[in-house]
Amino acid sequence: MDLEARVLTLVDGRSFSFALVCAATGARPRAAHPHPAVRVLRDTDSVHALAAELRGARRVVIAGNGGIALGLAAALSAVDVVWAAKHGHVGDAFFDADAAAWLARRLVAAREGEEEGGGDAAAPTAKAAPPTTTTTTARAGFGAAAGPGWADALAAAAGGQGRRGALDVRLFATVSDVASPGPGDWPLTVTLSTGDSFPADAVVSAVGVAPDTAWLPASLARAPDGGLWVDTDARASHPALYAAGDAATVRPDAAGAHWFQMRLWTQARALGALAGAAMAGVPPADRGLSLELFAHATTFAGARAVLLGRYDGQGLEKEDAATLASYVRETDAGFARILLHRGAVAGAVLLGEDAEMAGVLEDLILDGVDVSFLGARLLDPDLDLDAVFD
């Protein structure tokens, strides 16, 4: 790309002039190990390629502890899974130990054929408290972004074997070696940092991504993670260039008090819409709340999940503990945690049936209403928050 001449040249030699251009080239998955058999997920092409490889698989090793790893552990219920998670509980990239334990119980219950959200299956992490309310990829392939339903193809490929696979979660573990061939008819032997080794059919890396911006001019301002710094219009450091999705990193001064960046498909979509509107000349007042409130809705382990605001205290680590309060409600069907900062709702984690609270909590976060007088009653199922703050 020649930004001064405003010319974009493709790999096949064709060139295009432009007035404005948006870089939306996503991110490259990082590999947990350099062995060529280790697979990463980047787009629809890589998802379908992995699905083809998993047909007939007996055991898969997952390396990572974010949303991709959670999705894989749930989708691959028909095969044995060894999950190497380097933290003290699963899903550390999204959840604290309590919420993670609730999700882990669902994963185990699904594999044991129990009803979703119920049963007494033990979590592969710490024992959960009873229901209560308490105070406390190289650039290979050019497929479309995988989006929220990416795991469906993998579940279909690994399913149909007439059995439920075992889930073996290894905490504080990473992949230290991959060797091929494995013993007998196993194609691989995977060794973890704990010293344990497993024969496996596949290893899937889900250890994060790096913005794919190396192809752009070195003169552009970049964040420490390699993403292009963008402002409230999604404009990069050159007036003709915008950036969206995982290729962009929003400047801290460009985001609202309740927004922070994670490399999520929901934020990629929102940044794309923001960049498109800005390039088309839509007035700022008509561009919505893309950078005002962190909000991510997805599904984990078959349960709806909504994350709002600074749900895990992101950016509040230096605040006096006396200014923070956390309230939790946990049942077989749902999990909710509301975080207050100086009396106002700062964020919330909502899982299962408790995801229905998202609308009113979103309003409370944006309005900054002092709800401290309610205390733990915020999670009283008999309290109609909509009516209280209408």
Side-chain angles (χ1 to χ4, degrees):
M1 181 184 291
D2 185 336
L3 283 168
E4 300 314 314
R6 302 201 179 189
V7 173
L8 178 68
T9 302
L10 306 186
V11 293
D12 63 6
R14 289 180 296 164
S15 295
F16 297 88
S17 60
F18 60 83
L20 300 173
V21 63
C22 181
T25 44
R28 304 182 312 277
R30 299 188 179 99
H33 190 275
H35 193 284
V38 176
R39 299 292 176 251
V40 295
L41 299 177
R42 176 182 186 271
D43 52 19
T44 52
D45 289 352
S46 56
V47 168
H48 291 308
L50 178 60
E53 289 188 35
L54 292 182
R55 297 189 188 282
R58 297 158 292 177
R59 179 181 292 122
V60 175
V61 176
I62 300 171
N65 204 14
I68 297 294
L70 275 168
L72 284 167
L76 302 181
S77 60
V79 302
D80 291 344
V81 168
V82 176
W83 185 355
K86 70 176 182 179
H87 306 103
H89 61 267
V90 298
D92 179 84
F94 286 97
F95 304 111
D96 64 10
D98 292 340
W102 188 89
L103 284 169
R105 287 200 302 276
R106 290 183 66 93
L107 287 170
V108 173
R111 286 172 177 272
E112 294 182 352
E114 299 179 16
E115 294 296 323
E116 283 191 350
D120 298 320
T125 54
K127 182 178 179 182
T132 183
T133 298
T134 57
T135 302
T136 63
T137 311
R139 300 181 66 196
F142 292 89
W150 64 270
D152 295 345
L154 301 182
Q161 300 182 42
R163 72 182 185 95
R164 295 282 182 173
L167 177 62
D168 185 353
V169 179
R170 300 299 175 109
L171 301 176
F172 301 109
T174 58
V175 173
S176 61
D177 187 57
V178 179
S180 55
D185 63 345
W186 291 94
L188 302 171
T189 296
V190 182
T191 302
L192 304 184
S193 57
T194 57
D196 301 304
S197 294
F198 305 88
D201 292 301
V203 181
V204 184
S205 175
V207 294
V209 298
D212 190 0
T213 61
W215 62 280
L216 288 158
S219 59
L220 293 167
R222 287 173 168 79
D225 64 3
L228 298 179
W229 280 126
V230 298
D231 61 15
T232 53
D233 293 332
R235 191 193 301 265
S237 57
H238 190 282
L241 178 65
Y242 292 74
D246 288 345
T249 300
V250 178
R251 293 197 331 240
D253 62 334
H258 306 295
W259 191 93
F260 63 95
Q261 188 161 4
M262 295 180 72
R263 307 244 174 242
L264 303 168
W265 66 267
T266 46
Q267 288 193 344
R269 181 180 61 185
L271 279 170
L274 179 63
M279 294 169 75
V282 175
D286 297 329
R287 295 180 197 161
L289 299 173
S290 298
L291 304 181
E292 292 300 316
L293 173 68
F294 176 91
H296 183 59
T298 187
T299 300
F300 289 124
R304 291 179 60 204
V306 179
L307 309 176
L308 295 173
R310 300 185 181 274
Y311 66 90
D312 200 24
Q314 296 91 341
L316 301 176
E317 295 86 357
K318 296 182 179 180
E319 291 291 321
D320 188 328
T323 68
L324 301 170
S326 178
Y327 302 100
V328 179
R329 179 177 72 208
E330 182 178 351
T331 67
D332 283 344
F335 178 96
R337 180 190 299 278
I338 297 179
L339 176 66
L340 303 189
H341 178 226
R342 301 186 186 280
V345 180
V349 176
L350 307 170
L351 304 174
E353 68 176 15
D354 285 324
E356 297 176 2
M357 301 173 60
V360 63
L361 289 176
E362 180 176 333
D363 291 338
L364 289 177
I365 293 172
L366 290 172
D367 291 344
V369 177
D370 188 334
V371 297
S372 57
F373 68 95
L374 286 172
R377 287 192 63 215
L378 280 166
L379 289 170
D380 184 341
D382 295 325
L383 177 66
D384 186 351
L385 281 176
D386 280 307
V388 172
F389 296 103
D390 187 4

